[in-house]
Amino acid sequence: QVQLVESGGGVVQPGGSLRLSCSASGFTFSDYGMHWVRQAPGKGLEWVTFIRYDENNKYYLDSVKGRFTVSRDNSKNTLYLQMNRLRAEDTAVYYCAKDHEWRRVGHTTSGCDYWGQGTRVTVTS
Amino acid sequence: DIQMTQSPSSLSASVGDRVTITCRASQIISTYLNWYQQKPGKAPKFLIHAASTLQSGVPSRFSGSGSGTDFTLTISSLQPEDSATYFCQHGYRSPFTFGQGTKVEIK
């Protein structure tokens, strides 16, 4: 069965950095794009970034462009999110999620069909 | 960016009721519309993609419809386990924005 396990969350000061990881199993990781979605305490879902299955396309939420970098290592079945220059408003639970469509190309998505349990990031002084 | 607006923000209904949640996109998105269910403290669950295609394993009392800018999630006969928050999300182009959520409570 599909499993996604995030790690790397924690408490960091404003301006600091964290790297989140998402370990995937139960499917052919290299055939699917991956998303990061976050949820601030008591708030709704906010899509953050997407990386294509072959890493050829990456998309970002405007507020994280230039600060966050998504990457993947298909040989290790692992997705990453490098977060730099963190702000208080980045405080959230961060979920990795598998794109629904096999080897999706183009600018659309059919949604996130499997999600990890989330890792909590708290940015505070 | 495409904005997604859900209504209502919350509702309370009885077991067996028919429940309808609406999601409106600020631009035409064809049928690139997904629905999710989230229970407190849990990750979201994928319910519907392409506006009306039920994800495998999702009960048939859930259905989706719509195209263009207006979409609907319907629960035909509300069950106690359907108490949750429901989110729509467009998949037309980045950023793939979510609606603000609709909290469904059981009377």
Side-chain angles (χ1 to χ4, degrees):
Chain A
Q1 72 281 21
V2 173
Q3 271 203 312
L4 298 168
V5 180
E6 301 96 337
S7 60
V11 180
V12 62
Q13 292 187 336
S17 298
L18 277 178
R19 188 175 86 151
L20 307 184
S21 299
C22 171
S23 177
S25 61
F27 67 104
T28 304
F29 181 72
S30 58
D31 283 339
Y32 290 88
M34 297 293 294
H35 301 258
W36 286 98
V37 176
R38 68 186 180 184
Q39 188 167 34
K43 302 297 185 183
L45 300 172
E46 183 174 50
W47 175 85
V48 176
T49 182
F50 169 82
I51 182 170
R52 208 170 90 162
Y53 69 95
D54 56 4
E55 216 166 353
N56 277 353
N57 272 331
K58 302 177 185 180
Y59 304 115
Y60 295 94
L61 182 67
D62 278 353
S63 63
V64 308
K65 276 181 189 173
R67 300 188 301 122
F68 289 12
T69 302
V70 64
S71 62
R72 62 192 296 160
D73 186 336
N74 285 345
S75 69
K76 294 182 178 179
N77 291 343
T78 303
L79 173 73
Y80 302 100
L81 183 65
Q82 178 66 44
M83 303 187 296
N84 297 331
R85 304 202 314 271
L86 282 160
R87 306 167 179 168
E89 54 265 36
D90 297 319
T91 293
V93 173
Y94 284 73
Y95 296 100
C96 68
K98 171 185 165 292
D99 194 72
H100 180 60
E101 189 174 334
W102 182 83
R103 293 195 181 181
R104 183 180 79 81
V105 297
H107 304 294
T108 62
T109 178
S110 297
C112 303
D113 57 4
Y114 290 93
W115 298 62
Q117 84 289 349
T119 187
R120 187 173 301 274
V121 172
T122 303
V123 185
T124 181
S125 54
Chain B
D1 295 355
I2 299 170
Q3 308 304 317
M4 306 301 294
T5 303
Q6 285 182 235
S7 61
S9 55
S10 66
L11 65 89
S12 181
S14 300
V15 171
D17 283 354
R18 183 181 183 89
V19 168
T20 299
I21 299 168
T22 296
C23 180
R24 175 165 288 175
S26 61
Q27 302 175 33
I28 291 172
I29 58 170
S30 184
T31 56
Y32 290 101
L33 194 283
N34 312 305
W35 288 99
Y36 303 85
Q37 175 194 67
Q38 187 181 33
K39 297 183 178 180
K42 300 294 187 182
K45 177 184 176 182
F46 192 47
L47 295 179
I48 287 169
H49 68 278
S52 61
T53 302
L54 208 62
Q55 175 68 349
S56 174
V58 174
S60 59
R61 63 180 179 273
F62 290 91
S63 65
S65 65
S67 67
T69 60
D70 293 322
F71 302 87
T72 298
L73 173 70
T74 299
I75 308 173
S76 60
S77 177
L78 191 67
Q79 299 302 303
E81 60 268 31
D82 300 335
S83 177
T85 300
Y86 294 84
F87 295 93
C88 64
Q89 179 203 28
H90 82 82
Y92 191 70
R93 64 169 180 262
S94 173
F96 302 116
T97 320
F98 288 87
Q100 80 277 16
T102 296
K103 186 173 184 178
V104 174
E105 295 179 327
I106 309 295
K107 279 183 186 172

